[in-house]
Amino acid sequence: MRLARLGLVLTLFVTLAVSGWMSPAAAGLVNPKPVDPVIELLPPRPAPHVPYTGTICPDGSPSCIEATISEMQQRLNVLAPACDHDAVFSLAYLRVTENVRDAVNSGYFRDRVWLGQLDAVFAHDYFTALDTWNNGDAAAKASIPLAWQIALKAADDKAVSGLGNFMLAMNAHINRDFSYALAEVGLTGADGVSHKSDHNAYNRRLDSLYEPVFAEEAARFDKRFDDIDVSTLEETAAGVIMRGWREMVWRNAEKLALAKTPRQRSQAEHSIEAYSAAQARTLRRMFTAGPKLRAEREAWCADHHG
């Protein structure tokens, strides 16, 4: 079993178990596919159609995804040669977005316009956090979500392993940002059909990404990303657990979208912020890298980042 990715699975397992979103039965599954019918049976809460009125990709054109991929590639082209620790998530996010583009173009999703809008808004949140951290003063940095502050400071300080950078950024972007993006773009189409089926459908696309993305991270940035290979058990376990995270994200988006009072909205926001920050603190401790590992990683990246 690949040791680094086993760490990913165990970390995801712990976070889901602690948060109460994984049952003991689900934790014992080794194949994500049996989970899909269960998720499909969890109906979305009725939510009215609220037209998306944002200025980011208002028409949901496929060109929006292409523009996002182009910007991601440009950013990676700067981060990778510098062996910037933010390059780890930058690479992973680029590969995921390329996969989303391919899925949209193949007709995989029911509502490609909604997917285009969601993809653009979601990526914009990431770009904003990264740019504010890198270009802003202390006050500006303090304004970004705490989960992102912890992730980006760990990258600046070179304080965690490559897998730690990945996990911290993934936590900030999924557990913090994703619910807000979903609520902003809308949970229900103009025809009254929930977008949750499209949200769930991408789980199966993610299954195909764990192996190649982690292998590329190891080859380019941190060889300990992917040390030992015996089986694919960790990929299927990660698939099960990621489904739990994405289900939680959807439910948090429902709380945001369906809040009837400012207090309800504030409670939903507080829950998202507190959970993502707590996970960030845990991940920061779990993936701390000592001087030897940091030096080894820097040397490897200098020779292999291309």
Side-chain angles (χ1 to χ4, degrees):
M1 185 177 297
R2 300 190 174 198
L3 190 59
R5 276 185 284 120
L6 177 57
L8 163 66
V9 172
L10 291 176
T11 302
L12 290 172
F13 178 94
V14 169
T15 55
L16 275 219
V18 169
S19 66
W21 280 90
M22 172 177 282
S23 68
L29 292 171
V30 297
N31 187 334
K33 293 179 181 178
V35 180
D36 291 328
V38 176
I39 292 177
E40 296 297 335
L41 288 175
L42 300 174
R45 292 173 62 186
H49 168 65
V50 178
Y52 171 61
T53 58
T55 59
I56 301 170
C57 192
D59 61 356
S61 168
S63 64
C64 297
I65 297 181
E66 294 294 348
T68 296
I69 289 172
S70 178
E71 180 167 354
M72 287 180 170
Q73 185 64 66
Q74 292 173 16
R75 289 169 178 264
L76 181 61
N77 289 345
V78 174
L79 295 171
C83 288
D84 191 306
H85 286 202
D86 287 325
V88 168
F89 187 70
S90 178
L91 171 63
Y93 200 3
L94 171 62
R95 297 294 177 247
V96 169
T97 306
E98 290 170 339
N99 186 276
V100 170
R101 173 198 59 197
D102 295 344
V104 169
N105 290 343
S106 71
Y108 185 79
F109 296 110
R110 180 180 183 276
D111 192 336
R112 61 187 294 169
V113 170
W114 177 76
L115 252 298
Q117 294 168 335
L118 178 62
D119 180 86
V121 170
F122 194 30
H124 178 76
D125 291 341
Y126 164 62
F127 296 149
T128 299
L130 196 62
D131 291 344
T132 302
W133 180 263
N134 289 330
N135 303 324
D137 57 18
K141 290 182 178 182
S143 70
I144 70 174
L146 183 53
W148 271 121
Q149 293 182 43
I150 295 170
L152 295 172
K153 188 175 189 307
D156 284 356
D157 294 345
K158 301 184 177 181
V160 297
S161 66
L163 184 60
N165 293 130
F166 173 82
M167 289 295 298
L168 282 165
M170 185 173 73
N171 167 70
H173 200 40
I174 294 179
N175 287 327
R176 193 278 167 190
D177 294 346
F178 201 6
S179 296
Y180 288 100
L182 282 165
E184 179 180 350
V185 176
L187 304 180
T188 304
D191 57 2
V193 176
S194 172
H195 292 302
K196 191 168 189 289
S197 60
D198 276 340
H199 178 74
N200 290 345
Y202 194 66
N203 288 331
R204 293 181 289 278
R205 299 282 301 195
L206 281 173
D207 293 339
S208 67
L209 290 174
Y210 300 125
E211 176 75 23
V213 169
F214 274 78
E216 187 175 4
E217 298 281 10
R220 297 181 65 175
F221 300 126
D222 185 354
K223 67 179 181 179
R224 292 182 179 272
F225 237 97
D226 220 355
D227 284 351
I228 303 171
D229 190 8
V230 176
S231 75
T232 60
L233 177 61
E234 68 276 24
E235 281 89 358
T236 54
V240 172
I241 296 163
M242 186 57 70
R243 283 158 168 75
W245 272 29
R246 286 171 55 81
E247 180 68 19
M248 179 175 63
V249 161
W250 183 271
R251 300 307 171 182
N252 283 336
E254 289 178 334
K255 293 178 183 177
L256 292 171
L258 297 175
K260 290 182 169 53
T261 65
R263 182 179 180 183
Q264 288 180 349
R265 172 79 185 198
S266 178
Q267 288 174 336
E269 292 175 351
H270 176 75
S271 176
I272 292 169
E273 304 295 338
Y275 177 79
S276 59
Q279 295 310 302
R281 295 188 187 97
T282 298
L283 293 165
R284 172 64 178 78
R285 291 192 299 269
M286 290 183 66
F287 289 98
T288 297
K292 181 179 179 180
L293 291 181
R294 290 200 298 269
E296 182 182 82
R297 175 181 175 183
E298 296 307 308
W300 177 268
C301 181
D303 290 337
H304 298 85
H305 67 74

